[in-house]
Amino acid sequence: MHTRPRSHPGTAAPVLPEDSLAYALLTTAQLVADVVAGGTLTESLAKLWIARPATPPGVRGAILDLAYGTLRDFGRQDFILDKLLQKPLQEPVQSLLRVALHRLDTRPDTAHTTVDQAVSAAATVLGGNFKGVANGVLRNALRQAVDLNKAADADMVSEFRHPAWWIRRIRTQYPDNWRSILAAGNTHPPMALRINPLRATRDETLESFAEAELPVCVLPNGALLLERPVPVARIPGFVEGCVSVQDAGAQYAALHLDLADGQRVLDACAAPGGKTAHILESADVMLTALDTDPARARRVSENLDRLGLKANVKTADCRDLNRWWNGRPFDRILADVPCSASGVVRRNPDIKWLRRSDDIARFAAQQKEILEALWQVLAPGGKMLYVTCSVFAEENREQIAGFAARHPDCRRLSIADQPDCQYLPCAEHDGFFYSLLEKTP
Ligand SMILES: C[S@@+](CC[C@H](N)C(=O)[O-])C[C@H]1O[C@@H](n2cnc3c(N)ncnc32)[C@H](O)[C@@H]1O
């Protein structure tokens, strides 16, 4: 993906009936074009819903499905377009073709409707100049589908739907299971819930889910895995704070932290506060929660308010000790550091295409600074849990091996009998890395 200047505001409503497929295709194309220009899907969606607040839920759902699906499959559509076009078309037409190809791939039963609706959408932008090209490209894609798919399957980026540098990295670092890691990155994410033991027992929760006819299973760490994702409004006990939505992999943080009542705990990179809340639900501790981003720090407070939990929430860069630390060391520190998010890419498929290979070293450098700063505020005998939602070794085991080598007072404690613990993305949870470090007295 090449970063190009944005060619359109991305939120102007197309002149098409809101309930038409053409409208959904074109609106999604504008979102995808924003990502191609270097923006995130989350930001573009937020702007879209502000600009078009009355979008009916069904239309929203169709746009979300198309946007997430197109960005999951992005590498494949560009491979096919490269074969069918001499040069890329102007946005948003190029992205309209990407979205249409994604729909042709996933809904072959409605191929002709997709082509007709994509052509109608093309007629409403750029003076309709690309209507004929759009029609020709999509009809050629249908006619040549067998050959195009064969060629696409033989191309690494198109087959695995990740950038080439990413595939090479995963293949080198995970020679035995690189295929399943990449495949997991292209799936629909599971939906898991965390039970709040301060408000409901597991039995009560399971009973309310059975009554609501929502099948769930209990994972080994106590997380509830829903058979199928559902809107939060349908989740029994959500409004009352009995359960929260949190990936099962993220629910290991509070478990691995080895918490006990009365401890002084620091959650150094806390927003939006899922793990903060889990810590407070698990033990009666004095918790300081930091986040460098003021808007995100506010979300920590909102999340804690919903659950009736209390913490000292501050907006601060955790590396800037002079700004936020009062000199009293912490017994436990959660360092859930900013990272490439390569373990949660199925939730944010735009990330695959927005990241660059050299971003990983940049994240690793930032994580190293955070670790160095936080080690100073950990009490002797205290423990720090380092967490990423990455699968890249530079941010994980290499980071921790380097830290331990630089700090003779750092003892690596085992998690599940391992010096550190890499959970790979799978049907039950996202990809997370955990390492528990003790400061020897
Ligand atoms: C992986 S997210 C944390 C997720 C959170 N622990 C949870 O479970 O909901 C990383 C967070 O670190 C914050 N952050 C990044 N750099 C930081 C820094 N230097 N100090 C404090 N927070 C930072 C980001 O704003 C982001 O909210």
Side-chain angles (χ1 to χ4, degrees):
M1 183 181 290
H2 306 288
T3 301
R4 287 192 285 260
R6 294 180 194 207
S7 56
H8 61 92
T11 46
V15 283
L16 290 159
E18 199 181 33
D19 59 354
S20 66
L21 176 60
Y23 178 95
L25 291 170
L26 185 55
T27 305
T28 309
Q30 288 166 338
L31 294 169
V32 173
D34 279 352
V35 173
V36 173
T40 68
L41 180 59
T42 309
E43 283 165 2
S44 292
L45 281 170
K47 281 189 211 148
L48 178 67
W49 304 140
I50 290 170
R52 304 187 209 167
T55 307
V59 178
R60 274 183 197 234
I63 292 168
L64 288 174
D65 272 358
L66 284 170
Y68 279 87
T70 303
L71 289 167
R72 275 193 196 106
D73 292 348
F74 187 89
R76 195 168 186 94
Q77 300 131 21
D78 271 22
F79 176 88
I80 290 176
L81 288 176
D82 206 41
K83 297 269 174 250
L84 297 174
L85 285 166
Q86 281 175 348
K87 60 180 174 83
L89 302 176
Q90 212 175 316
E91 292 291 10
V93 181
Q94 181 79 3
S95 287
L96 178 63
L97 294 178
R98 292 180 175 117
V99 182
L101 286 178
H102 163 71
R103 196 165 194 280
L104 288 178
D105 208 28
T106 49
R107 295 285 311 274
D109 52 317
T110 58
H112 290 290
T113 309
T114 301
V115 175
D116 288 347
Q117 292 289 296
V119 172
S120 300
T124 66
V125 288
L126 306 173
N129 288 340
F130 294 94
K131 183 181 163 196
V133 185
N135 187 35
V137 166
L138 294 176
R139 291 196 190 279
N140 280 339
L142 280 180
R143 262 194 299 273
Q144 301 170 29
V146 174
D147 289 344
L148 285 170
N149 280 327
K150 207 165 141 195
D153 286 343
D155 175 83
M156 187 172 75
V157 173
S158 170
E159 184 189 359
F160 296 109
R161 297 158 208 224
H162 282 70
W165 67 266
W166 189 307
I167 298 170
R168 280 195 294 273
R169 219 182 201 100
I170 295 285
R171 206 171 168 163
T172 308
Q173 296 182 358
Y174 299 92
D176 297 331
N177 41 5
W178 63 277
R179 282 173 187 274
S180 63
I181 297 171
L182 295 172
N186 292 330
T187 56
H188 287 259
M191 185 174 191
L193 303 170
R194 184 185 77 242
I195 300 173
N196 177 0
L198 304 176
R199 299 232 166 141
T201 64
R202 183 184 293 176
D203 285 350
E204 284 163 356
T205 308
L206 290 176
E207 214 171 288
S208 61
F209 276 73
E211 270 170 28
E213 297 184 4
L214 288 176
V216 284
C217 69
V218 184
L219 297 179
N221 65 354
L224 290 190
L225 187 68
L226 281 155
E227 198 174 282
R228 270 183 307 281
V230 293
V232 285
R234 279 199 58 205
I235 295 176
F238 178 81
V239 175
E240 298 79 11
C242 302
V243 289
S244 298
V245 178
Q246 187 178 38
D247 182 72
Q251 295 187 44
Y252 283 105
L255 292 183
H256 293 333
L257 248 183
D258 185 22
L259 296 164
D261 289 352
Q263 286 171 339
R264 283 173 50 75
V265 180
L266 171 67
D267 186 353
C269 301
K275 299 184 187 77
T276 323
H278 196 190
I279 291 170
L280 292 166
E281 289 166 0
S282 306
D284 186 8
V285 298
M286 288 161 286
L287 192 140
T288 300
L290 306 178
D291 203 279
T292 192
D293 179 327
R296 287 177 64 81
R298 272 197 298 282
R299 287 188 60 200
V300 178
S301 302
E302 286 161 12
N303 276 329
L304 296 185
D305 287 348
R306 180 181 76 86
L307 297 164
L309 300 167
K310 295 259 171 296
N312 181 13
V313 181
K314 293 183 183 178
T315 301
D317 183 328
C318 64
R319 294 168 295 188
D320 190 359
L321 303 185
N322 290 334
R323 193 168 126 51
W324 66 267
W325 190 43
N326 66 4
R328 290 186 63 197
F330 293 92
D331 305 304
R332 295 289 180 271
I333 296 178
L334 176 61
D336 189 12
V337 293
C339 72
S340 63
S342 50
V344 294
V345 77
R346 57 189 174 186
R347 294 189 193 276
N348 305 292
D350 50 330
I351 282 179
K352 285 193 287 197
W353 311 107
L354 291 170
R355 292 266 180 269
R356 300 285 171 267
S357 171
D358 54 11
D359 288 343
I360 309 309
R362 199 172 44 76
F363 278 118
Q366 195 185 359
Q367 292 152 359
K368 181 178 169 192
E369 285 178 13
I370 290 178
L371 276 167
E372 294 294 344
L374 296 180
W375 198 245
Q376 299 174 54
V377 305
L378 183 65
K383 293 175 187 171
M384 175 156 77
L385 185 67
Y386 175 82
V387 186
T388 72
C389 54
S390 168
V391 289
F392 294 136
E394 297 88 331
E395 302 177 271
N396 297 345
R397 63 181 154 77
E398 288 177 14
Q399 178 75 267
I400 292 304
F403 182 81
R406 289 192 301 278
H407 291 270
D409 60 347
C410 170
R411 193 157 75 93
R412 295 167 74 178
L413 302 177
S414 12
I415 296 177
D417 295 330
Q418 302 288 323
D420 26 58
C421 192
Q422 177 75 67
Y423 295 102
L424 293 174
C426 64
E428 293 177 348
H429 56 70
D430 292 336
F432 280 92
F433 174 82
Y434 286 96
S435 184
L436 187 60
L437 310 174
E438 185 183 41
K439 195 174 198 175
T440 52

